[in-house]
Amino acid sequence: MPKDTFFNLPEEKRTRVEEAAIDEFASYTYETASVNRIVDGAGIAKGSFYQYFKDKKDLYKHIMNIIIQKKLEYMSPTITNPFEVDVFTLLREMYKSGLSFALSHPKLLEIGNKLLLDPSHDIYKEIMEENKARSDEVFLLILKAAKDRGEIREEIDLEMASYLLTNLNIAVSDYYMKKSEKHEYSKDMMKTIDKFIDFIQYGMTNTKGGD
Amino acid sequence: MPKDTFFNLPEEKRTRVEEAAIDEFASYTYETASVNRIVDGAGIAKGSFYQYFKDKKDLYKHIMNIIIQKKLEYMSPTITNPFEVDVFTLLREMYKSGLSFALSHPKLLEIGNKLLLDPSHDIYKEIMEENKARSDEVFLLILKAAKDRGEIREEIDLEMASYLLTNLNIAVSDYYMKKSEKHEYSKDMMKTIDKFIDFIQYGMTNTKGGD
DNA sequence: ATAAAATATGACTAAGAAGTCACATGACTT
DNA sequence: AAGTCATGTGACTTCTTAGTCATATTTTAT
């Protein structure tokens, strides 16, 4: 947690620091991100930084909390009653939220992905422990309920499927970001998600009754 | 390319250096990997290192070439006639190769993944340009042929599918590595791949004729 | 044996990193 | 106005990094 000094700051200055940090962590991993560059970018003195934050990790966790907060804002309307719609509708909503978040906050997405991609480092475990609900655990609960309702095939390995859904979630955002330069909620975006859910739902095969 | 001095080295010493480098690059990203730790690990002097390699990047590329070489060794029997079997059989073979490689060379896999996960950094582009055939481009060719043969549904977006297959390829190895501590080619492994291909082929839905 | 070429070495440089601290400035209280 | 407390500051310390280089050793050629 940042110190009181940071929260007492005039909003303009506080966001200036946060935005400099977001720029830095979007461009560099936690390890290679530089406090020196951040204070330069924010136009504050090095000493001031350590009036606001205990250390680099303190700032990083603060930014992660902003990300989680922002992401929850995008998700909440979908997640409120996760077990009251069929699983593919729910997945569609979740991916829509995820992609919408990605388009509105590409830098935040970048920071989050950079973290997810380096699960070996200590900072990963620390943050995941502080923010329990990991994505694949959420998916697992949803998929279990869906299987109980008979919406997905019996023989699907749920644990694996939820793991894959998590990774695909990241991949689909990356894919769309790479393809589209507009970065706006568009029909393209819905098409991307539809194709994607279609893939998950029916697979690629053409022999519909096959096996 | 490493200097002649390196290739003139007695094999024992050469592999000692390579193994120290592999350990380092498996534990740290390219940026945070330390030449100092590598020379300590290999038991050579700092100066010797720069007799063998132009710089850190030179060593890194050498290790990447080892990885590509090793990976090709595992793949070759499968890839020789990629268009002569149905696409799901081919995919199964490719994932089998991939997982087999992952189990035999977990550190090399780790290094490769670390690179793939940070496409923003210069080193990524450099290496990808030097080693043309990117995974999703290979998948795309295979999928195009399969669509022509009518093996996969018309409405599948091939570009997206090949992108997803690449990411899933990484994910499935990671998943299996995380689950199994034995690290040996086993029936478990085949089961994992079967589930996975099954997922790709038929999707998750239970309404087989649905839409 | 002598000369020459190849290889080994670790102290060294310069740059950048995280974090500290004595002091300066500003604001609010009494 | 004087005093107190919160905030601002940048030079500084300590550490680690990549890469260099003069010198020492070993190997090869004559």
Side-chain angles (χ1 to χ4, degrees):
Chain A
M1 267 263 294
K3 302 175 186 176
D4 288 342
T5 320
F6 181 65
F7 295 111
N8 293 341
L9 245 39
E11 186 167 327
E12 188 275 323
K13 193 172 191 175
R14 208 173 59 231
T15 59
R16 199 159 22 106
V17 172
E18 287 172 349
E19 275 167 19
I22 287 169
D23 280 347
E24 181 71 10
F25 287 126
S27 306
Y28 300 89
T29 63
Y30 170 73
E31 304 269 324
T32 54
S34 159
V35 173
N36 288 350
R37 278 193 297 259
I38 291 171
V39 299
D40 283 356
I44 61 168
K46 186 81 170 281
S48 298
F49 180 91
Y50 288 93
Q51 301 269 26
Y52 306 152
F53 306 99
K54 183 175 167 288
D55 50 25
K56 187 165 93 168
K57 194 194 284 181
D58 191 23
L59 166 64
Y60 187 71
K61 286 182 179 175
H62 174 62
I63 298 297
M64 283 306 304
N65 282 335
I66 290 178
I67 293 175
I68 290 163
Q69 184 55 43
K70 272 274 186 309
K71 182 121 194 185
L72 283 178
E73 282 172 26
Y74 279 76
M75 300 278 276
S76 51
T78 318
I79 300 290
T80 33
N81 294 311
F83 303 110
E84 292 185 5
V85 291
D86 77 284
V87 67
F88 297 111
T89 303
L90 178 61
L91 284 178
R92 198 180 305 268
E93 287 298 307
M94 291 179 75
Y95 280 101
K96 203 169 74 180
S97 303
L99 191 43
S100 179
F101 170 79
L103 292 172
S104 310
H105 304 284
K107 285 177 195 166
L108 299 189
L109 177 78
E110 184 65 29
I111 297 172
N113 285 355
K114 276 199 161 63
L115 177 68
L116 288 178
L117 301 176
D118 209 8
S120 54
H121 262 60
D122 294 342
I123 193 86
Y124 176 89
K125 288 165 198 161
E126 253 180 84
I127 286 180
M128 282 310 169
E129 271 164 32
E130 286 173 24
N131 304 282
K132 274 294 168 211
R134 286 183 46 211
S135 174
D136 50 350
E137 288 165 12
V138 173
F139 276 128
L140 186 57
L141 287 176
I142 290 169
L143 290 182
K144 267 185 181 148
K147 192 186 239 183
D148 288 344
R149 289 197 304 269
E151 288 173 12
I152 60 181
R153 289 185 287 127
E154 266 303 318
E155 63 268 33
I156 292 285
D157 179 334
L158 295 189
E159 205 179 335
M160 182 188 218
S162 52
Y163 186 82
L164 294 183
L165 285 180
T166 301
N167 279 75
L168 288 177
N169 192 6
I170 297 172
V172 77
S173 290
D174 284 348
Y175 176 77
Y176 190 76
M177 302 283 289
K178 216 163 288 175
K179 295 271 298 181
S180 125
E181 296 303 316
K182 314 160 216 165
H183 291 190
E184 55 187 29
Y185 190 101
S186 67
K187 290 201 174 161
D188 267 12
M189 176 180 142
M190 276 313 296
K191 255 196 262 175
T192 303
I193 292 174
D194 281 338
K195 285 177 191 169
F196 183 73
I197 296 290
D198 186 63
F199 187 98
I200 292 174
Q201 193 162 4
Y202 301 114
M204 291 169 51
T205 193
N206 198 20
T207 63
K208 290 220 168 174
D211 205 28
Chain B
M1 269 263 293
K3 302 174 184 175
D4 288 343
T5 321
F6 181 65
F7 294 111
N8 292 340
L9 245 39
E11 185 166 327
E12 188 275 323
K13 193 172 190 177
R14 208 173 59 230
T15 59
R16 196 152 33 96
V17 171
E18 286 172 348
E19 275 166 21
I22 287 168
D23 281 347
E24 180 72 9
F25 288 126
S27 306
Y28 301 89
T29 62
Y30 170 72
E31 305 269 323
T32 53
S34 160
V35 173
N36 288 350
R37 278 192 298 258
I38 291 171
V39 299
D40 282 357
I44 61 169
K46 186 79 171 283
S48 298
F49 180 91
Y50 287 94
Q51 301 267 29
Y52 307 151
F53 306 98
K54 182 175 168 289
D55 49 26
K56 187 164 93 167
K57 193 194 285 180
D58 190 23
L59 166 64
Y60 187 71
K61 287 182 179 177
H62 175 62
I63 299 297
M64 282 306 306
N65 283 333
I66 290 178
I67 294 174
I68 290 164
Q69 184 54 44
K70 273 271 186 311
K71 182 121 196 188
L72 282 178
E73 281 172 27
Y74 279 76
M75 299 277 276
S76 51
T78 317
I79 299 292
T80 33
N81 295 312
F83 302 111
E84 291 185 5
V85 292
D86 77 283
V87 67
F88 297 111
T89 302
L90 179 61
L91 284 178
R92 197 181 306 269
E93 286 299 307
M94 290 179 75
Y95 280 102
K96 203 170 76 180
S97 303
L99 190 44
S100 179
F101 169 79
L103 292 172
S104 309
H105 304 284
K107 284 177 196 165
L108 299 189
L109 177 77
E110 183 65 29
I111 297 173
N113 285 354
K114 275 198 162 63
L115 177 68
L116 288 179
L117 301 175
D118 208 7
S120 54
H121 262 60
D122 293 343
I123 193 85
Y124 177 88
K125 288 165 199 162
E126 253 181 83
I127 286 180
M128 283 310 167
E129 271 165 32
E130 285 172 25
N131 304 282
K132 274 293 168 210
R134 286 184 47 209
S135 174
D136 48 352
E137 288 164 10
V138 173
F139 276 129
L140 186 57
L141 286 176
I142 290 169
L143 291 182
K144 266 184 183 153
K147 192 186 240 183
D148 288 345
R149 291 197 304 269
E151 288 173 16
I152 61 181
R153 289 186 287 125
E154 266 302 319
E155 64 269 33
I156 293 283
D157 179 334
L158 295 188
E159 205 179 336
M160 181 188 219
S162 51
Y163 186 82
L164 294 182
L165 285 179
T166 301
N167 279 74
L168 287 176
N169 192 7
I170 298 172
V172 78
S173 290
D174 284 349
Y175 176 77
Y176 191 76
M177 301 284 289
K178 215 164 287 174
K179 295 272 297 180
S180 125
E181 297 303 316
K182 314 157 217 167
H183 290 189
E184 55 186 29
Y185 189 103
S186 68
K187 289 200 176 162
D188 267 12
M189 177 180 142
M190 276 313 297
K191 255 197 263 174
T192 303
I193 292 174
D194 281 338
K195 286 177 192 168
F196 183 74
I197 296 289
D198 188 61
F199 187 97
I200 292 173
Q201 193 161 5
Y202 301 114
M204 291 169 54
T205 192
N206 198 20
T207 62
K208 290 221 171 172
D211 205 27

